[in-house]
Amino acid sequence: MSNLNSPFVPFSPNPSIQSGVPTTTPPLSASKPSQLGSSNLRYASSRKSIYDRHLNRTQRSELSKASFAFLFGEMIQYAQKQVLGIQDLEKKLNIQGYAIGQRLFELLLYREGRSAKRETRLLGILQFIAQTLYRHLFGKSADGLEKSREHEDEYMLIDHEPIVNSYISVPKEMSQLNCAAFVAGIIEAVLDGSLFPCRVTAHSVFSEQFPFKTVFLIKFEESVLEREAVLQ
Amino acid sequence: MVILSILILNKAGGLIYQRHFNEGLNKLSSNDYLVLAGTFHGVHAITSRISPVPGSGGLEVLESDQFRVQCFQTLTGTKLLIFAEPHQPNIDVICRRVYELYADYVMKNPFYQIEMPIRCEQFDRQLVAYIKPKQ
């Protein structure tokens, strides 16, 4: 907190004054921010933080399935403590995925580079999700993309065996729950981010061939359908 | 390779999983299985103490002319008991694989409470898929 004695007011927030706000501005004082205990950012000996890394550095890196499984399991247990019903639990998982989807979408578009195209058509953005997003997250593209026959505003993204559910056995009394609600949140964020407002939910569909088949039901708002009709 | 049944005991010696893989077995009541598990846990502890060789673990193999029991104790104190036919090779391979399935489908399940009876559908399914082809 020695900066408060300085006659100069720093232009950008200094990590030693604002707690928990990450910034790449090096502190004006000589002491390291971690000693002051207010910022959670880790600084290497070269005074660089995670925000100084190149965005493409982790493009080809992979995460162990076990690490993700343990983290995801804890996320579900954490959410379960705070809610009372299955709908609320799915909603909580959806919100957790939503935050990730918003940031992931920006990153994926940045990584596409010069050839990145802003998707304005429904089929275009759904293809982006089924191919690019899915490949980034799970290393495989989605297993199917269908349009509902009964409702004009519903589309279905099919995954025969969602990787996030691979180690999870839902007890009989909660058989309605599908933890892929987390992935549904990611998809919803990407769609909302490209201005296709919608609701995405995950449903388990039993089939002989694929006992863990999950269908992501995407229900678009009226405005999307109207726009699609005009662009037709 | 015929596996007769598998039992899993938790750290305190309580039975958390029990399954038969052979129809012709004499079935005990569920209470008897709990007693069996507790007894085995006690015997295992006793054998590790009375062993003349210092620093040895507890009972590992119990063999009779009708069956063979192999006990695999993990570093966390969980015991896997495999009941098989006598003169069966490679039981420890099976022990390790069952432990791997336990670590995957039970430990990574957010709905499983540690040290409680195992009620994980995926674990059952994978175990049967692994053991049944060997019968």
Side-chain angles (χ1 to χ4, degrees):
Chain A
M1 291 300 180
S2 56
N3 264 40
L4 293 175
N5 301 328
S6 158
F8 305 105
V9 174
F11 177 68
S12 26
N14 187 300
S16 62
I17 297 179
Q18 281 202 347
S19 55
V21 173
T23 170
T24 53
T25 315
L28 295 179
S29 65
S31 60
K32 276 209 201 152
S34 52
Q35 286 175 359
L36 302 167
S38 52
S39 165
N40 293 327
L41 215 52
R42 287 197 298 179
Y43 286 83
S45 51
S46 55
R47 299 294 184 92
K48 291 228 177 131
S49 66
I50 193 172
Y51 295 101
D52 294 312
R53 281 202 227 157
H54 195 275
L55 280 176
N56 288 344
R57 179 172 143 172
T58 49
Q59 193 167 10
R60 264 155 233 94
S61 65
E62 287 175 342
L63 176 68
S64 95
K65 199 165 163 183
S67 307
F68 175 75
F70 284 120
L71 181 64
F72 190 52
E74 283 308 308
M75 280 164 61
I76 294 174
Q77 287 181 39
Y78 177 76
Q80 212 173 6
K81 283 196 191 94
Q82 302 180 326
V83 300
L84 292 171
I86 293 179
Q87 304 286 50
D88 289 332
L89 179 57
E90 286 199 346
K91 191 148 178 268
K92 267 251 172 326
L93 289 173
N94 190 307
I95 291 172
Q96 285 172 341
Y98 197 91
I100 292 177
Q102 286 176 314
R103 293 153 178 79
L104 192 57
F105 184 44
E106 299 288 354
L107 181 64
L108 290 179
L109 285 181
Y110 166 80
R111 283 188 181 159
E112 272 191 5
R114 296 278 167 103
S115 61
K117 190 169 93 75
R118 188 169 79 97
E119 301 289 348
T120 47
R121 305 303 302 275
L122 205 58
L123 216 54
I125 189 67
L126 289 175
Q127 286 286 13
F128 174 81
I129 291 176
Q131 308 293 330
T132 315
L133 179 72
Y134 236 75
R135 265 209 205 104
H136 173 86
L137 287 172
F138 306 120
K140 59 167 193 179
S141 44
D143 295 308
L145 185 56
E146 286 171 15
K147 182 171 151 56
S148 160
R149 252 165 272 186
E150 292 97 49
H151 300 104
E152 274 303 307
D153 54 351
E154 281 177 5
Y155 285 76
M156 295 173 296
L157 190 77
I158 298 167
D159 193 340
H160 290 318
E161 209 176 319
I163 291 183
V164 301
N165 284 350
S166 27
Y167 300 123
I168 297 180
S169 317
V170 183
K172 292 266 181 341
E173 56 268 15
M174 301 175 91
S175 56
Q176 269 189 322
L177 172 71
N178 190 328
C179 300
F182 176 71
V183 181
I186 298 181
I187 295 174
E188 193 173 325
V190 173
L191 285 170
D192 282 354
S194 25
L195 297 180
F196 289 87
C198 61
R199 290 244 157 278
V200 186
T201 45
H203 302 274
S204 339
V205 174
F206 182 79
S207 95
E208 279 306 317
Q209 212 184 353
F210 304 109
F212 303 110
K213 182 163 147 180
T214 296
V215 170
F216 295 103
L217 189 64
I218 305 170
K219 197 174 171 66
F220 289 103
E221 282 185 13
E222 272 302 306
S223 53
V224 176
L225 299 174
E226 286 166 11
R227 193 175 66 207
E228 215 29 46
V230 168
L231 287 172
Q232 203 63 273
Chain B
M1 192 175 310
V2 181
I3 305 294
L4 301 172
S5 69
I6 291 182
L7 266 75
I8 303 183
L9 315 185
N10 64 11
K11 262 196 272 269
L15 183 67
I16 58 177
Y17 185 76
Q18 177 268 321
R19 194 182 175 107
H20 285 304
F21 295 99
N22 201 312
E23 302 313 310
L25 291 178
N26 205 14
K27 293 216 188 338
L28 301 175
S29 74
S30 53
N31 197 36
D32 285 343
Y33 279 117
L34 290 169
V35 171
L36 176 65
T39 311
F40 187 89
H41 179 82
V43 166
H44 184 97
I46 292 172
T47 49
S48 71
R49 294 299 174 87
I50 65 173
S51 160
V53 178
S56 71
L59 181 64
E60 271 184 17
V61 179
L62 183 70
E63 189 151 343
S64 84
D65 54 357
Q66 309 283 352
F67 71 95
R68 177 192 163 115
V69 177
Q70 188 130 342
C71 169
F72 177 69
Q73 183 173 39
T74 68
L75 288 169
T76 53
T78 311
K79 291 192 235 322
L80 301 172
L81 293 175
I82 314 267
F83 287 78
E85 288 202 334
H87 313 299
Q88 198 69 261
N90 288 344
I91 300 267
D92 50 334
V93 171
I94 298 180
C95 278
R96 271 199 295 276
R97 178 77 186 130
V98 174
Y99 185 36
E100 199 183 310
L101 291 177
Y102 171 79
D104 276 343
Y105 296 99
V106 176
M107 288 289 117
K108 290 176 185 147
N109 187 14
F111 300 105
Y112 170 68
Q113 286 169 306
I114 310 277
E115 309 289 309
M116 288 287 120
I118 294 175
R119 301 248 176 281
C120 305
E121 195 200 322
Q122 286 261 46
F123 178 64
D124 281 325
R125 196 189 301 218
Q126 294 282 341
L127 199 57
V128 169
Y130 174 63
I131 300 279
K132 275 274 157 32
K134 294 192 189 299
Q135 304 292 55

